[in-house]
Amino acid sequence: MDKLIIEGGNRLVGTVKVSGAKNSALPLMAATLLTGGEFTLTNVPGLKDIETFSTLLSHFGAKVSENIDNTVTIDTTNVNQTDAPYELVKTMRASVLALGPLLARFKKARVSMPGGCAIGARPIDIHLKGLEALGAKVEVEHGYVIVSAEELTGADIALDFPTVTGTANLMLAAVFAKGTTTITGAAKEPEIEDLERALTDMGAKVEGAGTDTIKITGVEADALRAIEYRVMPDRIEAGTFMVAAAMTTGNVLIEDCPKDNLQALIEKLKSSGAKITTEAGGLRVTGDKPIKSVDITTAPYPGFPTDMQAQMMAMMTISSGLSVISETIFENRFMHVAELRRMGAKIRTDKKNAVINGVRELSGAEIMATDLRASASLVLAGLVANGKTTISRIYHLDRGYEKIEDKLNKLGADIKRVHNDNK
Ligand code: UD1
């Protein structure tokens, strides 16, 4: 298993380009299941999760190319399987996104029920309630969700929580449903808007993404066609670079930065003392000392993203005061706290809140990544720590960050990847 070894203390200076968004690419890949034909997705990030989803699509009978120069072609003409086995789903929860399009196109699907994960229980009850509202029969048997329908009919679906993949799944399921489907309390995340754009290009009738009400008017199956589509840039990767620049008192120009989707983070970074300016080439972040402490509460978009919570916590560990970070989306998303403490961070937690008392300096240590965004926070901590930080279990990081050490090293970081077969 690979490890990262980081020599801390370097300022990050230069230009970095943001990759395509994992959380947009995955629902777009799922959308290809809706109709037969050859799709071309560009700006697809080179990530483990993308490979896993490609394997899943191949399992269904699609012909999926390798990701070459961030382009993946997916030919779904011969898709003939509607069964997603446990071995594939257990490595990636987003596999559940296959439910909606398979149900829409084949009127049935059997997908292994995703289990809990490091950050929480993460049930899919809201997805299933929505599918039932469209007229599907939903059963859970032997660890699998089995959905079937003779016909899907448009319905009014009120979500109990604006679940992101739940909203995407229901949009996909409703594309051919007779009449109109209205999803209220929908997730407003930009990746949902990206899905709407792609579905519209394909010939579906979807409107309202980006607001809490999304309307899908059912079209005939033959109205859909395969398309070429460019995945939007990854706001969380961009945000991670922004925090890296601010923390290291660096000066970094972030190219292809979806700044309009990062307003909550930009506000917090500015309050902490960072300078953020828009330039023709992208967004420039200049860090300044001391880092002022800020309080953060995660919330569904456009609130502060839970996927940036761990990274901001890493920054607050070296702030000049006391900061309170409240996590409201996932019940167990403070796994990075114990690791940051090993580096000298002063953090107390109760269930939902972390109180961080800024210290002058972190000290490099041997630490372990626990989930995707937690891993990113540990890399950030390593960048500013005194001495050497060794992070193990970085496969979590590789699920969601394309060539992160190459990108950071180009900005002046000192990160080495070492291969270790023993651990
Ligand atoms: C997506 C993102 C993930 C991000 C999260 C929140 C993808 C592939 N992943 O995850 O990076 O951290 O949004 O912004 O896009 N819930 C239920 N029942 C359901 C569905 C969700 O109770 O049926 C709960 C979850 O347990 C969680 C909360 O709702 O507490 C938010 O989950 P959700 O928005 O569904 O997150 P994901 O779509 O899984």
Side-chain angles (χ1 to χ4, degrees):
M1 236 175 258
D2 292 1
K3 290 182 176 189
L4 288 185
I5 300 176
I6 307 176
E7 281 295 338
N10 296 0
R11 279 184 76 213
L12 299 189
V13 178
T15 301
V16 66
K17 190 169 176 302
V18 176
S19 295
K22 165 178 91 70
N23 287 353
S24 185
L26 295 173
L28 293 173
M29 290 173 86
T32 67
L33 290 168
L34 282 169
T35 189
E38 189 178 292
F39 290 81
T40 303
L41 295 180
T42 58
N43 206 29
V44 179
L47 300 172
K48 188 78 196 145
D49 272 10
I50 300 293
E51 281 172 32
T52 309
F53 213 94
S54 294
T55 309
L56 183 67
L57 292 177
S58 306
H59 166 83
F60 293 137
K63 229 167 99 188
V64 187
S65 77
E66 298 218 346
N67 186 350
I68 298 168
D69 294 334
N70 299 109
T71 299
V72 176
T73 58
I74 303 169
D75 188 339
T76 50
T77 310
N78 295 325
V79 168
N80 55 6
Q81 280 288 324
T82 54
D83 227 31
Y86 178 65
E87 292 72 54
L88 287 173
V89 177
K90 75 172 183 206
T91 56
M92 189 184 56
R93 302 181 47 79
S95 311
V96 78
L97 280 166
L99 266 180
L102 288 176
L103 178 67
R105 180 168 166 197
F106 299 102
K107 303 288 177 284
K108 61 174 185 168
R110 182 173 175 270
V111 173
S112 174
M113 185 92 168
C117 71
I119 61 174
R122 302 183 82 175
I124 55 163
D125 54 317
I126 303 172
H127 303 226
L128 301 184
K129 242 168 87 180
L131 296 178
E132 270 175 340
L134 293 171
K137 189 170 144 210
V138 177
E139 293 162 296
V140 179
E141 227 172 59
H142 306 302
Y144 280 77
V145 183
I146 305 160
V147 291
S148 58
E150 275 179 16
E151 186 177 65
L152 294 172
T153 313
D156 290 343
I157 306 173
L159 304 187
D160 295 333
F161 187 88
T163 156
V164 182
T165 43
T167 301
N169 228 344
L170 295 174
M171 285 164 77
L172 292 163
V175 162
F176 306 127
K178 234 176 158 181
T180 303
T181 298
T182 308
I183 306 173
T184 52
K188 294 184 269 195
E189 267 68 1
E191 293 76 17
I192 297 290
E193 288 186 73
D194 213 23
L195 178 62
E196 176 183 279
R197 279 190 290 271
L199 286 174
T200 306
D201 280 6
M202 286 167 68
K205 286 202 171 136
V206 188
E207 56 187 312
T211 75
D212 61 5
T213 304
I214 298 173
K215 209 178 249 186
I216 304 113
T217 308
V219 295
E220 294 297 325
D222 61 6
L224 247 58
R225 60 182 175 274
I227 56 163
E228 180 174 334
Y229 193 81
R230 182 178 168 83
V231 178
M232 67 179 288
D234 195 313
R235 64 195 165 98
I236 304 301
E237 190 204 14
T240 303
F241 292 134
M242 289 165 71
V243 176
M247 265 178 97
T248 61
T249 54
N251 183 344
V252 176
L253 180 69
I254 301 165
E255 290 179 338
D256 223 357
C257 183
K259 67 174 170 41
D260 294 344
N261 304 144
L262 283 160
Q263 288 309 312
L265 175 68
I266 289 173
E267 223 171 86
K268 291 296 173 186
L269 285 176
K270 279 185 173 166
S271 305
S272 77
K275 212 172 115 199
I276 300 179
T277 48
T278 306
E279 293 182 10
L283 198 73
R284 183 172 295 281
V285 181
T286 315
D288 198 9
K289 279 267 160 78
I291 294 169
K292 291 184 207 128
S293 57
V294 290
D295 295 340
I296 286 159
T297 300
T298 63
Y301 189 84
F304 191 93
T306 172
D307 282 357
M308 283 303 303
Q309 177 258 108
Q311 299 89 316
M312 270 314 267
M313 189 181 299
M315 175 153 153
M316 287 302 109
T317 64
I318 53 163
S319 77
S320 60
L322 202 71
S323 149
V324 180
I325 297 187
S326 305
E327 171 59 55
T328 72
I329 307 293
F330 292 109
E331 63 272 25
N332 190 23
R333 207 169 200 184
F334 284 147
M335 303 277 282
H336 40 287
V337 167
E339 305 302 309
L340 292 171
R341 278 192 193 128
R342 302 196 70 245
M343 301 177 75
K346 287 206 172 122
I347 308 173
R348 281 180 288 126
T349 53
D350 64 24
K351 248 178 146 25
K352 281 188 162 183
N353 307 302
V355 180
I356 302 115
N357 209 335
V359 294
R360 205 176 52 82
E361 189 172 60
L362 295 177
S363 67
E366 290 190 47
I367 50 177
M368 201 182 276
T370 50
D371 69 70
L372 170 54
R373 305 304 168 185
S375 325
S377 78
L378 301 183
V379 171
L380 297 179
L383 289 178
V384 295
N386 177 7
K388 185 164 94 176
T389 296
T390 305
I391 310 178
S392 56
R393 300 204 178 166
I394 54 153
Y395 53 85
H396 291 292
L397 194 67
D398 295 335
R399 282 189 40 223
Y401 287 90
E402 184 177 37
K403 299 184 189 139
I404 189 164
E405 70 267 28
D406 293 351
K407 289 189 177 188
L408 291 172
N409 283 344
K410 269 195 201 131
L411 294 172
D414 180 352
I415 308 178
K416 282 186 198 70
R417 182 181 285 254
V418 292
H419 192 65
N420 185 329
D421 288 325
N422 304 324
K423 282 182 190 167

